[in-house]
Each structure stands twice: as structure tokens, then as C-alpha cells.
Amino acid sequence: MLDVPLEAWKKKSVIMNSVMSDDTLTTMTTVSQHCFGEDTEGPTFSISIIENMKEDYGLFVWPCSVVLAEYVWQHRHRFSGATVVELGAGTSLPGLVASKLGARVTLTDDSTRLEAYDLINGRILKVNGSIGRLLLVLDVQVLDNMRRVCDLNKLECNVLGLKWGVWDSSIFTLQPTIILGADVLYDSNAFDDLFATVTFLLRNSPGSIFITSYHNRSGHHLVEFLMGKWGLKCLKLLDGFSFLPSYKASLLSGNIQLAEIALISEENV
């Protein structure tokens, strides 16, 4: 057993997960607690997330996810009974909050991407095939983690592998009233595939909306360009820190924005 003070165990549960059969390489994961409603008169609850202690793509709770989850909580009247799809869900905090509020939620992430762990430098690399002495890991680990987190929180969410820009049978079954995406605007090479997927889902469910939080790395003008290209419009644009409780804001950094995006109706074209 790890020699960890009792108080530390009350806050976080630490698990050693081996990713190699000979135990030469291990990753540290933790169960983090995310609370909602502590500063309001409404009900309070917490969501438990299994995540890596190192920043690791779909296995880490990023600041944009915290921002979007808080927005979902503060707009909880919109999510009760809603049909929600979270894109690039990873640790799935926003989608889990929506489920807790009574939404029917489908959590999605890319199940085809390969990741490689650099055994020498301890870095995660994005690859398309085998590389020498590197250990390849299928992103199905992310989907498995999403299922474990749903079970941990006693929430029933559909977990689905979904690659942006690919029209397989699974995407045609999705008719969300709300689409969520936290920090999905991080790789410019994937922007068109992302917006193609968002546009398809919005068209497949008239009146639906896309709510996304993102680091404003290159200015909102890039997002505006993509919206114009794909026939979308921004209904609302907020500073991500403007609605965060102070105790949450103090733990985050960066220029985070939140946007609500919808289709441009034919009457307005």
C-alpha cells in the first residue's frame, strides 16, 4: 500500500496502473472530485473523474472542461430532459454534469487514433504506425475510461467512438438538442473535420445548438471564419472566467472563451 497521509486519501484516491506487462512503465492516475452548486441555494452534487496525473490528451481534466461543466450547471434548466452529445469528451466532465441534471447523454471520442509512449523521454506522441522502441496504445483506453467514470458516478450514458469528418453509421443515429465540446479547437488540422461534424449534427436535429469552450490561442476571428465557412453563427460569446466561482477560477489560467453556435437559418442567408 502507498504511504499516503489519510487526509490526502480523503481528497484523492491514487491508483498505479501498469501499461506494460513487465511493469517497467507505470502511469499514475487519480480520482478527482468536481463540485457544483456549493455557492447557490440549489442542490449540490459532485462528479468523480478518473484521470492521469500528467497532462495526457483524453485522460486529463483540462481547464476548458471545468469551464464548460460549470456553464452546464449554471444553465441546468436547459439540460433537464435534453438530448446531449459531447464531442471529444475525454474525461467527460461536462457531459456527466448534463447527465446528472437529467439529460440523455452520448459521450464520444476518437476510437481510431493511435498514441505512443516514448519509453526514453516519457512523452506521449501522436503517431500513425509503429515507431521503433515505442509502445503503441489505442485510444480505446479513453473510451474504456469514459465507461468506468460513468459507472463510478452511477450515470447511464452512451459511449461511442466517433471520428470527426467520417460518416459511419453511428453518426446518423445522433439527434442532439445540445452538442458540447470542451477544448476541441486545439489542432488546426482537425478544425474542418470538427466543424463538418458539428454542422451535420446541427442539420440532423433542427433547432439544436453547439456549446464549446476553447483557449483563445489565435483570436476569435479564426472561429468566426470557420463558422462562416460552414454556415454557422455565434449566438453568444463569453469570457470563460466571467461566470466561474472564484474558488474555481483561482485554480485555472489562460484566455478561455465560451461560445454558443447554431446554424444560419435559410431566412437569414
Side-chain angles (χ1 to χ4, degrees), residues 34-47 73 100:
H34 302 264
C35 299
F36 299 88
E38 293 181 317
D39 57 344
T40 68
E41 296 180 356
T44 63
F45 63 85
S46 65
I47 298 292
W73 160 251
K100 192 77 171 179

Side-chain angles (χ1 to χ4, degrees), residues 103-116:
R104 297 177 296 276
V105 177
T106 298
L107 305 171
T108 73
D109 213 315
D110 186 356
S111 62
T112 64
R113 186 176 70 237
L114 288 176
E115 292 182 354

Side-chain angles (χ1 to χ4, degrees), residues 10 29 32 39 49 56 70 79 105 108 119 132 145 149 152 158 160 165 171 182 192 195 197 209 225 248 255-256 262:
K10 290 181 179 178
T29 65
S32 56
D39 57 344
I49 299 291
D56 184 7
E70 181 64 27
F79 287 86
V105 177
T108 73
L119 301 183
N145 192 62
V149 170
L152 180 62
N158 184 31
L160 180 68
I171 195 171
D192 275 320
F195 273 83
T197 300
I209 194 166
F225 169 79
K248 289 187 179 182
N255 181 9
I256 300 175

Side-chain angles (χ1 to χ4, degrees), residues 20-87:
M20 290 187 66
S21 58
D22 60 2
D23 292 332
T24 57
L25 178 65
T26 58
T27 57
M28 288 279 285
T29 65
T30 181
V31 178
S32 56
Q33 300 290 330
H34 302 264
C35 299
F36 299 88
E38 293 181 317
D39 57 344
T40 68
E41 296 180 356
T44 63
F45 63 85
S46 65
I47 298 292
S48 301
I49 299 291
I50 304 169
E51 60 174 319
N52 283 2
M53 295 184 74
K54 284 188 175 182
E55 297 180 354
D56 184 7
Y57 296 99
L59 297 173
F60 186 81
V61 179
W62 298 95
C64 286
S65 188
V66 175
V67 169
L68 184 55
E70 181 64 27
Y71 189 78
V72 171
W73 160 251
Q74 293 188 18
H75 291 254
R76 48 194 175 276
H77 62 283
R78 299 170 61 183
F79 287 86
S80 178
T83 301
V84 174
V85 169
E86 184 175 1
L87 299 177

Side-chain angles (χ1 to χ4, degrees), residues 32 54 61 68 102 131 148 180 182 196 210 235:
S32 56
K54 284 188 175 182
V61 179
L68 184 55
I131 302 179
R148 287 195 296 269
L180 299 175
F210 175 43
L235 302 178

